[in-house]
Amino acid sequence: MNETQRMKELAALLHQASKAYYAEDREIMSNFEYDKLYDELVELEKKTGVVLAGSPTVSVGYEAVEELPKERHESPMLSLGKTKSREELAEWLGTQKGLLSWKLDGLTIVLTYREGKLFKAVTRGNGEVGEVITGNARTFVNLPYQIPFHGELILRGEAVITYADFEKINEKIEDVSARYKNPRNLCSGSVRQLNNEITAERNVRFYAFALVKAEGADFENSREKQFVFLKEQGFEVVEYKAVTARNVVESVGEFEERVKDYPVPSDGLVLILDDIAYGESLGMTAKFPRNSIAFKWADELAETTLREMEWSASRTGLINPVAIFDPVELEGTTVSRASVHNVSIVRELKLGIGDRITVYKANMIIPQIAQNLTQSGSLDIPEQCPVCGAPTKLQKENDTETLICTNPDCDAKKIKSFTLFVSRDAMNIDGLSEATLEKFLAKGFLHTYADLFHLDRHREEIVEMDGFGEKSYQNLTDSLEKARHTTLPRLIYSLGIPNIGIANAKMICREYKNDLSKMLKAPVEDLSAIDGVGPVIAAAFHDFWETEKNRAALEALLAEVEIAKEDFMEGEQPLSGKVFVITGSLNHFENRNVLKERIESLGGKVTGSVTKKTTCLINNDNTSNSSKNKKAKELGVEVITEDAFLELYMNGGDSNAD
């Protein structure tokens, strides 16, 4: 076992011991043994000059930034020329030795080390200007914090997320439609986070694939020796194999055999000349360097029959064609649908129902139509929107023809209002992300809010939808049943009345003691007189009910839900005129929202920040240095615990909290 491997082993053992001791209240080794292993790791780090990512001897502080600054690369990062021919690789290589490696599918990063420490990390961006993500790079799980080389070192590599970590992260997202589509998208979003604590949770890894500069170092004109050098510095280098024209075709086959089971996403291979000087002497084209070339896997094609064209309306008004065909096996999975993107592609392929087509997965991921073998050209472009039935219209922009719905009130465009309706402060319906709602609207499942409570009419279709299944459907059904039991303020807020937030809805409902009939008939003058409402909000509330469509929507909802009864005290309520701020964790109440609702039911107000009008700040850790505690002390606002609040303001703790 070499020194680097021993360091990795020690780090893993020490982390395992710490987790058992601090998080699980058990010991798997004695303190003596722990200290012995820790000291061994420290000595190895001193000896090698390498401090690996995740080493127990260091810790990474988390930070958040408002934006990622841009920075121009010292030299442009060009794309590679591509081929799908193995024989072309042999011809390209000629008499030279080359290095054949995975072309990893993630986000390219440029790292700069100075005096042995990471100085800067920048994304590829557009090849000329990238984003600085240094804080995020420090959380990559296999990136060395410190290296023995102390000259300026610049290298390039790929940040990736393994398939296993991708699956683990997606499993934690209950809403199937909100899950990440592939590891590359997840990686890109993770690397470019504004808060590097989120990046740290994603297990991003870095694999070096090119050394740009190593001040003063001599690699005897060999790329392979550069790779060996990078390994000695503690970097994980992309897996490679030295090849010649004689064995490159065979070697490509070996890589291809392994790609389906390879733990890291790869969309091909890269072949680079080992002779540095010769490679650089070849120069570059306008787009590509001549010292390297990319090999893309030949797409697996399957022949099938086009059975249907589904026209899917979106919130932008676009109506997008989706091809439905007889199921075929591609890259190890069964596919039966492929987006055709726009009308121009439909016409270019001369599609018609019953045509024989070939399909493939772009980059082994996204199903696409490759070719139409029969080209009947008989497919009709719909003249009516599949959602609302309004006339459609063809529009052309930059030589691309698309289909749009002409109805400004098309249900497919109502995505934002439905998103508000199901949100936490409104009807609080889990499992209905904006993406899922868009699918339901596009399929015509939803026309009014009340339709949400009758999705059982479309059970079979929902269960068969991408990302759904029996379990997801049952979870959604359970959430909808739970949402049937709600409060009147939540229901009022969910309707999306202009200028009416949840707090305003609560004030109005409290003033009229949940008498909906009185509320709907209330004149603007009376509504304006409610403390905290005012003329603008009052007018918006009044005018909303003047529209028959809005009244009908409410009536339909009232037939589906059960409004919780509330007790309204006669006269002035005990917390009337008092303003509270809540922070930190609670002991007696389930969460801060529960306590907030309790305070408001007794006439009090709850705000998000401490001001001179604040009666008191409720914080069980009243000695903390949080910003709210500091502000309260500056303004002379009392900071009290939850127990003290119950004693002082709620009759000795009669809170109904438990």
Side-chain angles (χ1 to χ4, degrees):
M1 182 182 296
N2 63 32
E3 291 167 337
T4 303
Q5 288 174 321
R6 178 57 178 164
M7 288 162 64
K8 289 180 179 178
E9 181 182 72
L10 288 169
L13 285 170
L14 292 168
H15 277 308
Q16 189 179 1
S18 294
K19 181 181 179 182
Y21 185 82
Y22 291 108
E24 300 167 0
D25 198 24
R26 62 188 181 92
E27 288 188 29
I28 61 173
M29 66 175 66
S30 66
N31 288 341
F32 176 82
E33 181 66 17
Y34 183 94
D35 291 342
K36 180 182 174 183
L37 296 177
Y38 186 92
D39 291 342
E40 182 186 351
L41 179 59
V42 170
E43 287 303 313
L44 282 170
E45 289 177 346
K46 287 180 181 177
K47 180 181 177 182
T48 62
V50 174
V51 180
L52 297 170
S55 172
T57 65
V58 296
S59 61
V60 179
Y62 295 124
E63 60 179 351
V65 296
E66 293 184 0
E67 63 177 9
L68 295 173
K70 303 282 195 302
E71 182 170 303
R72 184 171 292 278
H73 297 296
E74 289 186 16
S75 58
M77 298 181 65
L78 301 176
S79 300
L80 297 180
K82 298 176 179 64
T83 181
K84 291 185 179 181
S85 166
R86 302 170 194 219
E87 290 70 25
E88 189 177 329
L89 289 180
E91 184 180 336
W92 179 88
L93 200 53
T95 60
Q96 293 291 315
K97 170 187 172 183
L99 302 178
L100 186 67
S101 63
W102 294 112
K103 184 175 182 294
L104 299 182
D105 194 18
L107 192 68
T108 300
I109 308 292
V110 184
L111 301 178
T112 301
Y113 281 74
R114 290 180 182 171
E115 298 180 355
K117 295 181 180 178
L118 179 63
F119 173 73
K120 182 171 58 180
V122 185
T123 66
R124 181 186 186 280
N126 63 6
E128 294 187 359
V129 177
E131 293 174 310
V132 180
I133 47 99
T134 312
N136 294 348
R138 290 194 176 103
T139 72
F140 293 174
V141 295
N142 64 339
L143 193 68
Y145 298 142
Q146 186 175 310
I147 60 175
F149 184 77
H150 277 231
E152 183 174 64
L153 176 71
I154 303 175
L155 68 151
R156 294 172 181 170
E158 199 81 355
V160 297
I161 289 178
T162 65
Y163 286 115
D165 286 328
F166 170 73
E167 294 296 338
K168 286 178 185 176
I169 292 167
N170 258 353
E171 283 173 6
K172 294 177 182 177
I173 303 173
E174 292 185 7
D175 180 2
V176 176
S177 65
R179 291 178 179 174
Y180 295 95
K181 304 302 180 189
N182 55 62
R184 187 189 187 285
N185 287 353
L186 173 58
C187 181
S188 179
S190 301
V191 170
R192 300 174 63 253
Q193 285 288 331
L194 297 180
N195 184 346
N196 68 343
E197 188 168 4
I198 297 173
T199 309
E201 294 170 354
R202 303 285 176 80
N203 273 359
V204 180
R205 300 172 185 274
F206 177 86
Y207 291 92
F209 62 65
L211 177 61
V212 178
K213 177 182 180 183
E215 200 171 49
D218 181 12
F219 302 108
E220 301 174 17
N221 198 37
S222 169
R223 293 278 179 195
E224 187 167 16
K225 290 190 176 179
Q226 288 184 336
F227 279 177
V228 172
F229 168 79
L230 288 172
K231 288 180 182 178
E232 291 171 349
Q233 303 307 307
F235 296 101
E236 286 199 50
V237 173
V238 64
E239 183 184 341
Y240 68 91
K241 181 178 181 179
V243 294
T244 64
R246 289 182 178 181
N247 69 345
V248 67
V249 172
E250 178 187 340
S251 297
V252 169
E254 292 171 2
F255 276 97
E256 189 173 35
E257 282 295 312
R258 298 172 52 209
V259 69
K260 291 179 182 177
D261 299 318
Y262 196 60
V264 181
S266 168
D267 58 355
L269 302 171
V270 173
L271 180 60
I272 188 168
L273 297 173
D274 182 60
D275 188 320
I276 298 172
Y278 175 70
E280 291 178 349
S281 73
L282 298 175
M284 60 189 68
T285 69
K287 290 185 176 181
F288 313 122
R290 288 196 171 98
N291 68 344
S292 54
I293 188 171
F295 173 81
K296 303 289 285 185
W297 308 114
D299 297 311
E300 181 182 343
L301 291 173
E303 187 176 326
T304 184
T305 301
L306 180 64
R307 296 298 181 189
E308 180 187 349
M309 187 65 74
E310 180 183 280
W311 294 88
S312 177
S314 71
R315 65 176 178 267
T316 62
L318 283 174
I319 303 174
N320 302 309
V322 179
I324 315 294
F325 44 82
D326 289 339
V328 290
E329 288 288 322
L330 282 177
E331 313 291 353
T333 61
T334 302
V335 295
S336 59
R337 300 165 61 88
S339 174
V340 189
H341 302 297
N342 55 57
V343 175
S344 291
I345 296 175
V346 169
R347 288 179 168 160
E348 182 183 331
L349 290 168
K350 298 179 181 177
L351 291 171
I353 304 304
D355 281 352
R356 294 294 290 173
I357 58 174
T358 57
V359 292
Y360 71 103
K361 277 188 178 180
N363 285 339
M364 297 188 177
I365 295 171
I366 305 168
Q368 303 278 284
I369 295 178
Q371 190 179 6
N372 183 2
L373 303 176
T374 44
Q375 298 190 344
S376 69
S378 60
L379 187 71
D380 292 327
I381 307 300
E383 296 180 354
Q384 291 182 309
C385 173
V387 176
C388 69
T392 59
K393 174 185 174 184
L394 287 168
Q395 66 177 15
K396 198 167 187 177
E397 186 175 340
N398 297 328
D399 295 325
T400 298
E401 202 169 22
T402 55
L403 188 68
I404 62 168
C405 173
T406 58
N407 177 13
D409 295 318
C410 177
D411 285 343
K413 300 176 184 179
K414 296 178 181 177
I415 184 67
K416 293 300 180 186
S417 60
F418 274 91
T419 302
L420 170 66
F421 184 84
V422 304
S423 64
R424 186 180 63 181
D425 287 338
M427 298 302 286
N428 193 23
I429 303 172
D430 290 331
L432 284 174
S433 68
E434 186 169 316
T436 299
L437 286 167
E438 186 171 0
K439 289 177 184 176
F440 288 178
L441 283 162
K443 286 182 172 292
F445 296 168
L446 304 174
H447 298 281
T448 67
Y449 297 132
D451 290 335
L452 282 164
F453 297 100
H454 294 284
L455 286 173
D456 56 309
R457 297 167 180 166
H458 311 284
R459 179 188 173 283
E460 290 184 9
E461 287 181 81
I462 292 173
V463 168
E464 293 299 320
M465 286 172 61
D466 285 346
F468 261 86
E470 289 289 352
K471 186 176 180 181
S472 296
Y473 174 79
Q474 189 56 52
N475 289 340
L476 175 57
T477 300
D478 293 344
S479 182
L480 285 163
E481 285 304 308
K482 186 178 178 182
R484 286 183 184 273
H485 306 280
T486 189
T487 64
L488 189 58
R490 281 179 175 272
L491 187 64
I492 296 295
Y493 169 62
S494 73
L495 295 171
I497 305 171
N499 300 313
I500 304 294
I502 185 65
N504 308 130
K506 287 177 180 178
M507 291 172 188
I508 295 171
C509 290
R510 190 181 303 126
E511 176 71 18
Y512 290 95
K513 296 183 175 59
N514 277 8
D515 188 327
L516 194 55
S517 178
K518 286 185 179 179
M519 290 163 57
L520 269 56
K521 296 174 183 175
V524 173
E525 293 76 17
D526 291 357
L527 291 164
S528 299
I530 300 172
D531 184 29
V533 175
V536 174
I537 293 172
F541 187 83
H542 175 271
D543 294 348
F544 185 82
W545 303 115
E546 293 292 293
T547 303
E548 180 58 34
K549 183 180 177 182
N550 295 334
R551 284 178 176 264
L554 177 61
E555 288 298 324
L557 279 172
L558 290 173
E560 303 294 342
V561 302
E562 180 184 328
I563 305 296
K565 291 183 179 179
E566 293 185 61
D567 294 326
F568 295 95
M569 303 177 68
E570 294 296 329
E572 188 172 285
Q573 295 177 287
L575 299 184
S576 180
K578 293 182 171 57
V579 181
F580 301 91
V581 176
I582 310 166
T583 190
S585 59
L586 300 174
N587 301 321
H588 296 280
F589 292 84
E590 183 182 346
N591 53 50
R592 279 178 268 178
N593 269 344
V594 174
L595 175 53
K596 178 183 177 183
E597 289 183 2
R598 180 65 175 152
I599 290 171
E600 290 173 341
S601 72
L602 296 173
K605 290 183 181 179
V606 178
T607 62
S609 56
V610 178
T611 69
K612 290 180 180 179
K613 293 182 179 180
T614 304
T615 304
C616 66
L617 170 65
I618 303 168
N619 186 356
N620 282 324
D621 184 7
N622 57 12
T623 61
S624 79
N625 288 318
S626 70
S627 59
K628 286 188 173 71
N629 273 29
K630 288 179 181 177
K631 190 68 175 178
K633 289 171 184 175
E634 286 175 14
L635 298 175
V637 172
E638 187 178 16
V639 182
I640 64 173
T641 64
E642 187 183 359
D643 285 331
F645 166 77
L646 293 172
E647 181 69 31
L648 291 168
Y649 294 100
M650 299 185 74
N651 300 321
D654 180 20
S655 67
N656 295 320
D658 294 326

